[in-house]
Amino acid sequence: MSHTTADTAAVTAVLTDLVRAWERHDADAYGALFTEDATYITYIGTFYRGRQDIVDSHRVLFGGFLKGTRLADEILDIRFHGPGTAVVNGRGDTYKGTRPRKLTKVQTYTLVRENDGHWRIAAFHNTKRRPLLESLSFRFAPALAPAAPAVGGNGQRGRTG
């Protein structure tokens, strides 16, 4: 689908701003990057609907479970579906201290360009990656390995043949 370098930069900037808001533990700035009706699924399966729910939950998380954490993010792929929709796949993790070398979560963001021209996250899904189980499944059923490795040097092997 058609997209411009500026679109790619704008989508990437949203995710950069997300990491920066997390570093400041600024739930309002974090939530402002989502659409009013956004959905947000955590890696433990909690489903949040709407910007305010996302803001309120992160305000609690930043003051409790995630206090003092940083957010690591790596974009693996950006695909545009028309002029106003982008799907971003990546890896991420929360951490304290040194950024982890291997990120343990797989993430999908759906971004939309809203009427004001700004890209915002309409949906986010975060899944815990299980590399040992993934490796075993590829070993015993090689056809399960993805046909092409994802962009971003994630060490995932592609299907051969």
Side-chain angles (χ1 to χ4, degrees):
M1 286 286 166
S2 171
H3 70 280
T4 67
T5 303
D7 291 331
T8 301
V11 165
T12 302
V14 170
L15 301 181
T16 299
D17 289 346
L18 198 71
V19 170
R20 289 180 180 153
W22 189 291
E23 287 177 3
R24 295 188 313 272
H25 291 74
D26 185 341
D28 292 310
Y30 189 83
L33 298 166
F34 291 83
T35 62
E36 281 293 332
D37 64 346
T39 57
Y40 192 105
I41 301 171
T42 70
Y43 84 94
I44 62 172
T46 306
F47 178 86
Y48 295 103
R49 179 182 296 275
R51 179 184 292 153
Q52 194 59 54
D53 210 13
I54 294 165
V55 169
D56 292 345
S57 65
H58 280 81
R59 187 169 287 119
V60 171
L61 288 167
F62 291 153
F65 293 123
L66 298 175
K67 187 174 186 173
T69 62
R70 298 185 70 177
L71 187 63
D73 193 49
E74 173 186 338
I75 294 173
L76 300 176
D77 186 51
I78 299 174
R79 288 170 290 130
F80 289 87
H81 297 274
T85 305
V87 175
V88 179
N89 296 111
R91 297 211 193 279
D93 227 325
T94 56
Y95 67 98
K96 289 183 179 181
T98 305
R99 186 182 196 274
R101 195 170 62 80
K102 291 185 180 182
L103 304 181
T104 64
K105 297 177 183 98
V106 179
Q107 302 166 329
T108 302
Y109 299 88
T110 302
L111 289 90
V112 296
R113 186 188 340 249
E114 293 197 301
N115 291 335
D116 65 2
H118 288 95
W119 286 90
R120 289 190 181 85
I121 303 164
F124 171 73
H125 188 198
N126 195 15
T127 301
K128 183 81 171 170
R129 185 170 183 226
R130 307 276 188 216
L132 178 60
L133 292 175
E134 186 179 55
S135 177
L136 287 172
S137 69
F138 294 167
R139 180 177 207 150
F140 292 106
L144 290 176
V151 178
N154 64 1
Q156 187 176 23
R157 57 188 195 114
R159 191 179 305 156
T160 58

